[in-house]
C-alpha cells in the first residue's frame, strides 16, 4: 500500500516518525509529499494542516497519531466516509494517569502553595489533608479518564467519574452519567479533572455554571482541550475564591502567548500540553497494526464516531 505521512511537527519530529513507521511497516511505501496522491491508500496523521487529505480518491483509512481528533474533525475538507482511527496506547494512558495523580496530590498536599512560599523564602507549615478525605471527580471515563480514576483510587482518594452514557463499573469509582449525574457529583468535589473529548457538547463546559456548582474553594485540572475552558470565567472564579487553584495543560491558543494572564497568575499552574505525549516507541507499532489490518481486510481498531465527535 501507499502511505501518506502528514502532520504539524516540531523540529525533527517528522523524520523520527517516518523512520519508526518505515521500520514497523517495511512492506509498504511511504509518500511524504503527496507526489503520488491518486494512489494513496492510508494516511498516518498528526494534526495535519487543513486540506492535507483533500483529493485522495484511493484513501481508505486516516490513522491519527493523536488521541484527540477534534482538530482533525474540524477540517471541513476531510474526505467523507473514510474511517478515522485515533491513537489508543496504554503508554499514553499511563502518562496521563501520572499527570492527573501529580496534579491532585499537589493540590491535596498544598505542594503548589509550598512552591510559591519557597519563591518568597517563607517558612510556613500548612494543615495536612488526608487523601481519604479528598473527593476527586474525573470528567470523561474513557481511555484516559478510567486510567486516571484507577490510579487515584490506588492512592486512596474518593473518586467519581462522569461519562455520557452509563459506563462499566470500576472498583472504587462512583460512576455518574448524563446531566443529572454531573449535577449530583459536582457539589461533593474537591478537585475536578477534565478528560473529556472536545465536542459541540463539551466545548466551554469548564465555565461559571460548573464552577458555581462546586463547593467554594474547589480546584480544577484541565488536561483535555483548551476550548473546554471559558478563560474569563476561570479568572473570575479564582478572584472571588470560588476556585482555589487551576492546573492547566491545554489552552485555546497554543503555545500560550507570553503576554497571557495565566503565566503569572499565583493560583494557576501551567504545563505546555505535556500531560500525555504520544510515545513514538509504542504508538508507531499501534498505528502499523491498523495499517496491516487494512491491508489484510481485518477489522480496524480505535475507530472514531464522526457523528459523536470522538
Ligand atoms: P475517550 O476514550 O473517547 O473517552 C471519552 C470519554 O468522555 C468517555 O467516557 C465519554 O463517554 C465521555 N464523554 C464524551 N462526551 C461526553 C459528554 N457530552 N458528556 C459526558 N461525557 C462525555 O477519550 P480519551 O482517549 O480518554 O481522551 C480524552 C481526551 O483527552 C482527548 O479527546 C484529548 O482531548 C485529551 N488528551 C489530552 C492529552 C494531553 O496531553 N493533554 C493527551 C491525549 C489526550 P461515553 O463512554 O459515554 O461515550
Ligand atoms: C494530545 O493532546 C492528543 O490528543 O494526543
Amino acid at each position: 500500500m501507499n502511505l501518506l505521512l502528514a502532520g504539524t511537527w516540531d523540529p525533527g519530529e517528522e523524520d523520527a516518525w517516518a523512520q519508526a513507521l518505515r521500520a514497523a511497516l517495511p512492506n509498504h511505501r511511504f509518500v511524504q509529499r503527496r507526489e503520488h496522491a491518486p494512489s494513496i491508500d492510508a494516511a498516518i496523521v498528526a494534526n495535519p494542516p487543513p486540506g492535507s487529505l483533500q483529493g485522495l480518491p484511493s484513501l481508505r483509512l486516516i490513522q491519527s497519531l493523536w488521541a484527540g481528533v477534534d482538530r482533525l474533525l474540524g477540517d471541513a475538507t476531510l474526505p467523507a466516509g473514510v474511517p478515522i482511527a485515533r491513537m489508543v496506547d496504554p503508554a499514553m494512558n499511563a502518562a496521563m494517569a501520572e499527570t492527573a495523580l501529580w496534579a491532585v496530590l499537589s493540590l491535596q498536599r498544598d505542594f503548589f502553595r509550598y512552591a510559591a512560599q519557597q519563591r518568597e523564602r517563607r517558612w510556613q507549615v500548612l494543615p495536612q489533608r488526608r487523601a481519604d478525605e479528598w473527593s476527586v471527580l474525573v470528567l470523561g471515563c474513557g481511555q484516559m479518564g478510567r486510567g486516571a480514576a484507577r490510579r487515584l483510587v490506588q492512592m486512596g482518594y474518593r473518586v467519581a467519574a462522569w461519562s455520557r452514557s452509563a459506563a462499566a463499573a470500576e472498583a472504587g469509582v462512583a460512576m455518574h452519567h448524563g446531566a443529572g449525574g454531573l449535577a449530583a457529583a459536582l457539589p461533593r468535589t474537591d478537585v475536578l479533572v477534565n478528560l473529556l473529548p472536545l465536542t459541540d457538547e463539551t466545548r466551554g463546559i469548564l465555565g461559571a455554571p460548573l464552577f458555581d456548582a462546586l463547593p467554594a474553594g474547589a480546584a480544577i485540572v484541565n488536561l483535555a482541550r483548551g476550548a473546554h475552558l471559558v478563560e474569563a470565567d476561570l479568572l473570575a472564579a479564582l478572584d472571588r475564591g470560588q476556585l482555589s487553584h487551576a492546573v492547566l495543560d491545554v489552552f485555546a491558543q497554543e503555545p500560550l502567548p507570553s503576554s497571557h494572564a495565566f503565566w503569572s497568575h499565583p493560583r494557576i499552574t501551567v504545563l505546555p500540553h505535556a500531560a500525555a505525549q504520544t510515545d513514538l516507541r509504542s504508538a508507531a507499532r499501534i498505528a502499523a497494526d491498523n495499517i496491516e489490518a487494512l491491508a489484510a481486510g481485518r477489522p480496524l481498531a480505535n475507530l472514531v464516531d464522526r457523528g459523536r465527535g470522538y
Side-chain angles (χ1 to χ4, degrees):
M1 293 199 304
N2 287 329
L3 308 176
L4 175 71
L5 184 59
T8 308
W9 311 99
D10 290 333
E13 209 186 4
E14 182 174 10
D15 288 345
W17 275 107
Q19 198 180 348
L21 289 165
R22 280 199 170 96
L25 291 162
N27 300 323
H28 301 281
R29 176 163 175 264
F30 277 87
V31 177
Q32 262 168 276
R33 303 284 169 233
R34 284 180 63 121
E35 66 266 34
H36 295 286
S39 59
I40 286 168
D41 300 284
I44 302 178
V45 302
N47 279 335
S52 301
L53 303 179
Q54 234 177 340
L56 303 175
S58 306
L59 193 65
R60 289 182 289 138
L61 172 64
I62 300 166
Q63 171 65 54
S64 174
L65 298 174
W66 282 51
V69 288
D70 45 288
R71 261 164 70 181
L72 193 58
L73 294 179
D75 178 355
T77 70
L78 202 67
V82 177
I84 301 170
R86 68 192 192 94
M87 182 48 61
V88 174
D89 180 354
M92 206 174 181
N93 300 343
M96 184 60 89
E98 287 167 2
T99 305
L101 178 60
W102 159 80
V104 171
L105 186 55
S106 303
L107 290 162
Q108 173 231 334
R109 292 294 312 278
D110 275 318
F111 294 141
F112 296 127
R113 287 177 67 189
Y114 284 126
Q117 287 182 191
Q118 182 182 352
R119 287 191 290 275
E120 296 165 6
R121 298 171 180 262
R122 183 149 57 94
W123 184 280
Q124 184 189 346
V125 177
L126 301 167
Q128 182 171 284
R129 290 183 291 237
R130 291 170 49 151
D132 63 359
E133 293 170 348
W134 195 252
S135 294
V136 185
L137 173 62
V138 181
L139 301 188
C141 193
Q143 293 293 325
M144 306 270 167
R146 189 173 285 270
R150 207 174 276 155
R151 205 80 153 86
L152 292 162
V153 168
Q154 286 164 1
M155 282 299 292
Y157 294 102
R158 296 179 192 159
V159 182
W162 182 64
S163 54
R164 200 167 66 121
S165 48
E170 180 68 48
V173 181
M175 295 293 191
H176 300 274
H177 68 278
L182 183 61
L186 287 173
R188 300 196 285 261
T189 297
D190 295 304
V191 54
L192 176 146
V193 178
N194 178 36
L195 282 168
L196 288 167
L198 181 63
T199 67
D200 291 344
E201 285 179 29
T202 65
R203 186 178 303 276
I205 189 170
L206 304 180
L210 180 143
F211 300 153
D212 289 345
L214 291 165
I220 66 154
V221 178
N222 188 17
L223 306 177
R225 285 293 182 261
H228 284 129
L229 177 70
V230 183
E231 295 189 349
D233 289 4
L234 172 64
L235 292 170
L238 287 166
D239 278 354
R240 62 192 158 85
Q242 178 58 23
L243 293 180
S244 55
H245 200 100
V247 179
L248 306 176
D249 180 56
V250 284
F251 302 91
Q253 188 182 344
E254 295 182 1
L256 186 65
S258 57
S259 59
H260 200 288
F262 287 172
W263 281 114
S264 54
H265 196 291
R267 281 175 292 126
I268 294 180
T269 301
V270 169
L271 293 178
H273 200 142
Q277 299 166 51
T278 304
D279 188 324
L280 183 146
R281 292 159 295 181
S282 44
R285 184 68 265 156
I286 290 164
D289 286 348
N290 236 10
I291 298 294
E292 295 294 15
L294 179 72
R298 295 195 304 271
L300 300 169
N302 310 321
L303 290 177
V304 171
D305 179 333
R306 288 197 193 204
R308 274 189 334 188
Y310 63 100

